[in-house]
Amino acid sequence: MENSPVFVAPVSCMASAYDRACEVFAFLKGKRVDFGETHAKEYGHARYGLNYSGKGKHDQWSEANPVHLIGHSFGGNTVRVLAYLLSVDHFKCGTNVKWIRSITTISSPLQGSLITYVLGACEDHEQEKPVHRFSPGYLLGVGAHCFELLGGKLGLNRYVDLGLGHWNLQKQGIRGWIHALTGGHNGGGTPAVCNRDNAANDMTIAAAKRWNDLIKEKVDSTKLYEFHLVASKSVSRFSIAKSFQKHFYFGREEQQTERIVGNQNLNPFYWPAILCARDFFTYYGARMASSNSFETLKEKICPVKNGLDLRLECGSDGLCSTYSQFVSNPNDGSTSPLKDDHMILMKDLRNKIFTYGQHTIKLSETSHFSIVPFPDSMKCQRDFFVDLFFMLRNLGANLSPNPNAPE
């Protein structure tokens, strides 16, 4: 792994974990994105997406040439679904779990995120309409539909690609947009965002549990390394004030910003405004997610014994609480990994020896956004991934294969 390449898969920012997993596979293997005939008919979009034939980034991908899959936030859910699809040979090319060397999820809502309910997801997952009408999520979907509709005509998709091409929203035209605005799919808005084949739905508690059950049943974790890196540092009022002072008064990010966007003439208020808005909305998003009663969830989906109180009480950055980043109930057993004495620095994992199987690691001084390449986190992000790649490179270096792993 000394000179192993690193690829970032261009997946849809709004698609479901299943659709995104299909996109990752095609991107790496060099195939046309195939969502499957049954799946496409069920949700009403095209069967095929982008064509990467002859352009695969790792077309030699196989059991003999496995990969390390790393996903941040919903990307963690995506790579776990990809592991499931590979395990069941979903793509009909002889795949199995041994095509994967390791899976790493970073601050991922593996048990769902309460913020999806703040945005408008129905707490009762048995309802036909998965999104409350005219909720923030509903309006976001209509806005995305409008952007996709006008993007091709105005050239907007040259700057921002939502990855919704397989929904053929441009072909539906204005009538399709009006239909979405006035009720749309199941009376719940645009089909691309307001049905059950999108990222928001997959981050509900019920959908996350459904995927976790399937993955647990089909993915043999004794044949790979699986790491769940839990980020628990929250955004506070103090951090918002510090962010405002740092970004607007000291300008420490100016040079880093220029390196990111390659623009020497960038408006000096552009990135400071974005960074302050990021901290402001994540803080108040966390407050909203923590203060809502979610009575329907308590009664039907997530009784106290399954952790709703812990979801509300433990650290949160507005997107996924500490609890939700555990792939299973973190309070199973005599001790709770939610306690601070289980925290560790990423750099301390460099030379640690791991066995095959799942490893949940709570990281110190790491938040959801501290490893995203914003101008105020460039060094932190770089150091984080250097340590992570070093750890992955050393997997198995000082350890013989798992003697209990079935062949």
Side-chain angles (χ1 to χ4, degrees):
M1 189 177 167
E2 187 72 28
N3 298 309
S4 298
V6 177
F7 302 112
V8 179
V11 296
S12 170
C13 62
M14 306 182 80
S16 64
Y18 171 89
D19 287 357
R20 286 158 54 102
C22 293
E23 291 173 338
V24 174
F25 179 81
F27 171 76
L28 291 176
K29 192 61 178 171
K31 294 181 177 293
R32 187 176 185 182
V33 178
D34 185 355
F35 302 111
E37 182 179 3
T38 302
H39 177 86
K41 285 184 178 180
E42 180 179 358
Y43 293 105
H45 60 65
R47 173 177 176 176
Y48 297 103
L50 296 176
N51 191 351
Y52 294 104
S53 298
K55 298 180 289 186
K57 295 298 183 181
H58 187 43
D59 53 7
Q60 299 301 313
W61 186 15
S62 64
E63 183 177 325
N65 296 287
V67 299
H68 296 272
L69 296 175
I70 303 171
H72 170 255
S73 191
F74 190 58
N77 301 58
T78 301
V79 296
R80 296 189 76 237
V81 171
L82 177 56
Y84 166 80
L85 297 179
L86 293 174
S87 295
V88 299
D89 193 18
H90 176 79
F91 303 105
K92 307 302 180 186
C93 57
T95 64
N96 57 58
V97 72
K98 292 184 179 181
W99 282 44
I100 305 171
R101 175 66 168 160
S102 73
I103 296 173
T104 303
T105 69
I106 308 168
S107 189
S108 299
L110 303 179
Q111 292 203 66
S113 172
L114 293 181
I115 199 67
T116 58
Y117 301 100
V118 173
L119 293 175
C122 290
E123 294 88 346
D124 186 350
H125 299 145
E126 300 302 321
Q127 285 192 20
E128 184 180 10
K129 294 183 292 184
V131 180
H132 290 295
R133 198 170 183 182
F134 301 119
S135 64
Y138 176 97
L139 297 177
L140 176 65
V142 173
H145 190 142
C146 183
F147 182 91
E148 191 74 10
L149 176 64
L150 300 177
K153 296 181 179 180
L154 302 180
L156 299 177
N157 51 12
R158 290 182 298 174
Y159 306 100
V160 179
D161 184 3
L162 299 180
L164 300 177
H166 56 295
W167 287 97
N168 298 320
L169 299 181
Q170 292 187 27
K171 292 183 179 180
Q172 296 178 21
I174 295 296
R175 288 186 178 181
W177 182 77
I178 294 175
H179 175 62
L181 181 65
T182 56
H185 186 77
N186 292 334
T190 177
V193 180
C194 298
N195 70 2
R196 300 194 187 279
D197 189 32
N198 58 73
N201 182 75
D202 275 357
M203 284 189 281
T204 60
I205 293 171
K209 183 179 185 305
R210 186 162 55 250
W211 272 119
N212 285 336
D213 291 343
L214 286 172
I215 293 168
K216 183 178 180 179
E217 178 184 355
K218 296 296 184 179
V219 179
D220 187 353
S221 61
T222 66
K223 294 182 179 180
L224 52 76
Y225 299 94
E226 186 171 353
F227 302 98
H228 303 297
L229 304 184
V230 178
S232 58
K233 185 178 180 181
S234 301
V235 176
S236 64
R237 285 176 177 166
F238 174 76
S239 64
I240 296 176
K242 183 179 178 182
S243 172
F244 182 84
Q245 181 187 50
K246 181 178 179 181
H247 303 321
F248 278 101
Y249 287 97
F250 293 103
R252 295 176 183 174
E253 287 73 40
E254 183 176 352
Q255 293 182 349
Q256 292 177 328
T257 302
E258 291 173 354
R259 285 203 300 270
I260 292 176
V261 299
N263 185 354
Q264 300 291 330
N265 300 315
L266 186 70
N267 187 317
F269 291 100
Y270 178 80
W271 271 110
I274 288 179
L275 295 170
C276 289
R278 175 202 67 187
D279 292 344
F280 178 85
F281 286 112
T282 50
Y283 170 68
Y284 281 101
R287 284 178 60 86
M288 290 175 66
S290 299
S291 63
N292 276 278
S293 60
F294 301 116
E295 293 299 330
T296 308
L297 284 179
K298 283 186 177 181
E299 296 173 3
K300 296 185 177 181
I301 307 299
C302 190
V304 173
K305 65 179 181 180
N306 287 336
L308 180 60
D309 286 356
L310 281 174
R311 291 174 188 270
L312 297 173
E313 293 170 3
C314 64
S316 174
D317 58 12
L319 295 174
C320 55
S321 67
T322 301
Y323 180 98
S324 68
Q325 298 173 51
F326 288 81
V327 73
S328 58
N329 189 340
N331 272 4
D332 287 344
S334 58
T335 60
S336 171
L338 289 172
K339 294 181 179 178
D340 290 343
D341 56 5
H342 287 264
M343 297 176 71
I344 190 172
L345 293 172
M346 189 67 212
K347 65 180 182 180
D348 294 332
L349 298 175
R350 276 185 162 222
N351 298 308
K352 187 176 177 62
I353 297 176
F354 293 96
T355 58
Y356 287 92
Q358 291 186 354
H359 303 273
T360 301
I361 303 167
K362 190 175 180 185
L363 299 177
S364 175
E365 295 301 313
T366 303
S367 68
H368 193 84
F369 287 113
S370 65
I371 57 170
V372 178
F374 286 109
D376 63 338
S377 59
M378 290 288 288
K379 184 179 185 304
C380 179
Q381 186 238 18
R382 180 183 180 279
D383 292 344
F384 179 93
F385 281 103
V386 166
D387 293 333
L388 175 59
F389 293 157
F390 197 100
M391 180 191 81
L392 296 178
R393 186 187 68 181
N394 290 334
L395 288 179
N398 301 311
L399 185 68
S400 59
N402 184 358
N404 297 318
E407 292 298 327

